[in-house]
C-alpha cells in the first residue's frame, strides 16, 4: 500500500484487502488511523478495525487520522487519495515536523513568511526557523563552548563544567525536550535525573562545585574575568518575555566542548549540533497532546543511514521520557526542498488563509 498526501493510496488485492473493500464505489470516503510508524515512509494503518501496512511516498503524516477517497479500481488494486481537507492538513503537519510553530501559526503568518525565508537559501532547518522568527542572534556560535574550553585548560573539573553549561544556558533539565537531547548526546541518566529532580541539596552541591572550581583558578584577574563572563551569560536576554527563545549551551566531547544552539517555542525545541565524524545534525522535538514526535535532520545520506541503524538502541534509551515517542529521520536538503514544494503548492492553489 502506497500513500502520497495529494495523490494516491494503492492497496494490493490480497484476500483480506479485497474483502475489506468489497462493494466500495469510486468517490467513497473511508476513515483511516495511523496505529504504528515504521521509519519515515512506512506505517500500519487501521481501516474498519483491520490493520494494513502502508507506505507513504512523501512521509508518514504527523497526525493520527485521515480520510481516504477512492479514486479508481484496477484489477486487484485500489487507488485512494487523501480528501482535500486532509491533504491540506497533511501538508501543515509536514511543515510542523520541520519547524517549531504550531498548526495555527503555520496556516497563517508562517506560511506567508516562508517565501521570503526560502529566498535567502537557508543552509539548514535551524537557519530556516531563525529566519521565520527574524532572530539573527540565533546564529551566534560557540560562545559558551569557547568559555568552557578556556576553563578546562585551567584544570576546571569536567563534571562541574557540564553543570555550568546547563546553568549558563538558562534551560530547565525538567523539560522532556532537554532530557531527550541530553540522553541522545550520551549524558548519564543518573546525572540527568539528579538535575531534573531540582532538590535543594542537589542544586546546592552543584553550585558549590562550580564556585569551588572558579575559586581555584590561579590569579585574581583571571578569576574575576571568569566571574564577569559567567554573569554576562546569565544576564543575556534578561527581562525579555517572548513566546520564542534562542540560546546556546555546550556538551563535552573528546576534542573539547561542542556548541548546541537551540530555538524554543514552549511545546517544541529545535537543536543544532556539529560533529566531526557525522557532520551537522538538527533535532526537532515537539510535545503534543498524545505523542512526542522527534525529527532528526542529517546533511548527508551516510550520516542518515548511521543514525537510522542505531535508532533501536536510541529508542530504548529515551522511551521512558514519553509513552508515545517516535523518531523520523530526514535528509536536510530534501526536507527543505519539501518545504519549497509545499509552499509552491499552497501559493499556486491559495490554500492558506491570507487574512490570518
Amino acid at each position: 500500500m502506497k500513500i502520497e498526501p495529494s495523490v494516491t493510496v494503492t492497496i494490493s488485492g490480497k484476500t483480506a484487502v479485497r474483502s475489506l473493500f468489497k462493494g466500495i464505489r469510486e468517490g467513497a470516503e473511508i476513515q483511516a488511523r495511523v496505529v504504528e510508524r515504521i521509519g519515515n515512509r512506512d506505517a500500519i494503518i487501521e481501516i474498519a478495525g483491520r490493520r494494513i501496512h502502508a507506505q507513504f511516498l512523501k512521509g508518514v503524516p504527523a497526525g493520527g487520522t485521515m480520510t481516504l477517497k477512492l479514486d479508481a479500481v484496477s484489477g486487484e488494486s485500489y487507488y485512494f487519495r487523501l480528501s482535500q481537507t486532509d491533504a491540506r492538513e497533511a501538508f501543515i503537519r509536514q511543515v510542523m515536523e520541520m519547524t517549531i510553530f504550531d498548526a495555527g501559526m503555520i496556516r497563517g503568518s508562517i506560511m506567508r513568511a516562508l517565501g521570503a525565508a526560502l529566498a535567502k537559501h537557508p543552509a539548514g532547518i535551524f537557519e530556516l526557523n531563525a529566519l521565520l522568527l527574524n532572530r539573527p542572534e540565533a546564529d551566534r556560535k560557540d560562545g559558551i563552548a569557547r568559555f568552557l574550553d578556556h576553563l578546562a585548560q585551567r584544570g576546571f573539573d569536567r563534571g562541574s563544567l557540564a553543570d555550568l553549561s546547563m546553568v549558563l544556558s538558562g534551560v530547565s533539565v525538567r523539560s522532556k525536550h532537554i532530557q531527550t537531547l541530553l540522553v541522545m548526546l550520551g549524558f548519564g541518566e543518573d546525572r540527568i535525573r539528579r538535575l531534573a529532580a531540582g532538590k535543594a541539596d542537589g542544586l546546592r552541591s552543584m553550585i558549590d562545585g562550580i564556585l569551588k572550581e572558579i575559586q581555584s583558578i590561579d590569579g585574581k584577574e583571571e578569576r574575576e574575568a571568569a566571574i564577569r563572563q559567567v554573569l554576562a551569560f546569565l544576564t543575556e536576554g534578561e527581562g525579555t518575555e517572548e513566546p520564542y527563545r534562542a540560546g546556546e549551551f555546550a556538551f563535552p566531547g573528546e576534542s573539547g566542548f561542542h556548541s548546541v544552539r537551540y530555538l524554543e517555542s514552549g511545546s517544541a525545541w529545535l537543536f543544532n549540533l556539529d560533529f566531526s565524524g557525522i557532520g551537522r545534525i538538527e533535532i526537532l522535538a515537539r510535545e503534543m497532546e498524545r505523542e512526542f514526535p522527534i525529527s532528526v535532520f542529517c546533511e548527508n545520506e551516510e550520516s542518515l543511514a548511521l543514525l537510522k541503524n542505531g535508532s533501536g538502541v536510541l529508542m530504548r534509551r529515551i522511551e521512558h521520557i514519553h509513552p508515545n515517542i517516535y523518531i523520523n529521520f530526514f535528509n536536510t536538503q530534501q526536507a527543505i526542498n519539501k518545504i519549497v514544494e509545499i509552499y509552491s503548492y499552497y501559493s499556486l492553489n491559495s490554500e492558506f488563509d491570507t487574512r490570518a
Side-chain angles (χ1 to χ4, degrees):
M1 174 177 178
K2 296 183 179 181
I3 297 180
E4 189 171 342
S6 60
V7 187
T8 61
V9 179
T10 306
I11 305 176
S12 61
K14 296 179 181 178
T15 303
V17 173
R18 289 198 303 270
S19 63
L20 177 62
F21 297 124
K22 183 179 181 180
I24 191 171
R25 297 179 179 275
E26 292 182 15
E29 293 186 347
I30 58 174
Q31 295 296 311
R33 181 173 68 92
V34 177
V35 294
E36 182 181 353
R37 299 168 190 273
I38 310 168
N40 277 358
R41 300 173 181 272
D42 293 272
I44 303 298
I45 67 171
E46 184 178 83
I47 299 174
R50 295 190 184 180
R51 297 189 174 190
I52 304 171
H53 182 270
Q55 182 185 17
F56 294 71
L57 296 184
K58 295 190 177 180
V60 181
T65 61
M66 65 191 77
T67 303
L68 303 179
K69 185 174 182 178
L70 182 63
D71 250 2
V73 179
S74 176
E76 295 184 340
S77 295
Y78 297 82
Y79 297 90
F80 292 86
R81 60 189 168 107
L82 290 180
S83 71
Q84 181 100 358
T85 300
D86 282 356
R88 291 196 299 270
E89 290 305 302
F91 285 139
I92 294 296
R93 290 192 292 267
Q94 286 181 314
V95 175
M96 287 180 68
E97 288 184 328
M98 305 176 211
T99 68
I100 63 173
F101 308 101
D102 62 27
M105 285 290 293
I106 292 170
R107 291 188 194 99
S109 60
I110 296 305
M111 192 61 78
R112 296 199 309 275
L114 267 177
L118 292 169
K120 295 181 180 179
H121 306 290
I125 299 299
F126 190 90
E127 285 80 4
L128 174 64
N129 279 264
L131 286 169
L132 291 170
L133 285 171
N134 194 26
R135 296 291 298 265
E137 73 274 19
D139 288 330
R140 175 174 59 87
K141 284 188 177 182
D142 304 333
I144 291 178
R146 285 196 301 270
F147 177 58
L148 296 177
D149 278 335
H150 174 78
L151 294 179
Q153 291 169 8
R154 279 147 183 78
F156 215 97
D157 174 71
R158 288 181 69 83
S160 293
L161 284 175
D163 291 340
L164 179 58
S165 172
M166 299 309 298
V167 171
L168 297 181
S169 71
V171 299
S172 171
V173 184
R174 295 184 181 184
S175 163
K176 290 184 174 67
H177 309 84
I178 296 297
Q179 290 179 23
T180 301
L181 177 69
L182 294 179
V183 171
M184 294 173 79
L185 291 175
F187 274 65
E189 293 185 38
D190 289 341
R191 190 180 193 84
I192 294 171
R193 278 194 292 270
R194 178 172 64 82
L195 292 173
K199 293 183 179 179
D201 290 345
L203 293 175
R204 188 180 302 112
S205 175
M206 182 180 73
I207 298 299
D208 286 346
I210 292 171
L211 293 175
K212 180 181 178 182
E213 291 298 319
I214 290 177
Q215 291 300 322
S216 71
I217 296 175
D218 292 333
K220 180 181 177 182
E221 291 185 2
E222 188 75 16
R223 285 196 301 274
E224 289 180 350
I227 292 171
R228 284 196 297 271
Q229 185 62 77
V230 167
L231 292 174
F233 281 126
L234 289 175
T235 56
E236 191 173 73
E238 193 175 64
T240 58
E241 296 184 6
E242 299 181 8
Y244 303 100
R245 285 202 309 154
E248 174 197 12
F249 61 95
F251 70 96
E254 293 182 1
S255 58
F257 278 84
H258 300 274
S259 177
V260 179
R261 291 182 293 158
Y262 68 83
L263 295 171
E264 181 235 337
S265 70
S267 62
W269 288 65
L270 175 60
F271 304 100
N272 178 77
L273 313 86
D274 284 291
F275 296 94
S276 57
I278 58 177
R280 171 192 254 200
I281 303 296
E282 296 169 299
I283 302 167
L284 192 151
R286 181 188 299 277
E287 186 169 13
M288 303 175 73
E289 185 176 353
R290 294 188 177 87
E291 54 193 6
F292 193 91
I294 297 174
S295 301
V296 178
F297 304 88
C298 305
E299 59 184 1
N300 59 69
E301 290 299 323
E302 292 76 13
S303 299
L304 195 64
L306 181 66
L307 291 176
K308 281 183 177 180
N309 290 339
S311 61
V313 175
L314 176 60
M315 279 299 299
R316 287 192 292 274
R317 292 194 65 193
I318 65 176
E319 60 186 5
H320 67 280
I321 292 174
H322 193 280
N324 293 314
I325 194 168
Y326 63 88
I327 304 177
N328 287 324
F329 294 91
F330 301 92
N331 175 291
T332 302
Q333 190 55 56
Q334 290 176 6
I336 292 177
N337 291 343
K338 179 61 183 176
I339 293 179
V340 172
E341 180 184 331
I342 290 172
Y343 175 74
S344 299
Y345 172 84
Y346 267 65
S347 298
L348 291 172
N349 293 277
S350 300
E351 296 287 5
F352 58 93
D353 186 358
T354 58
R355 298 167 298 173

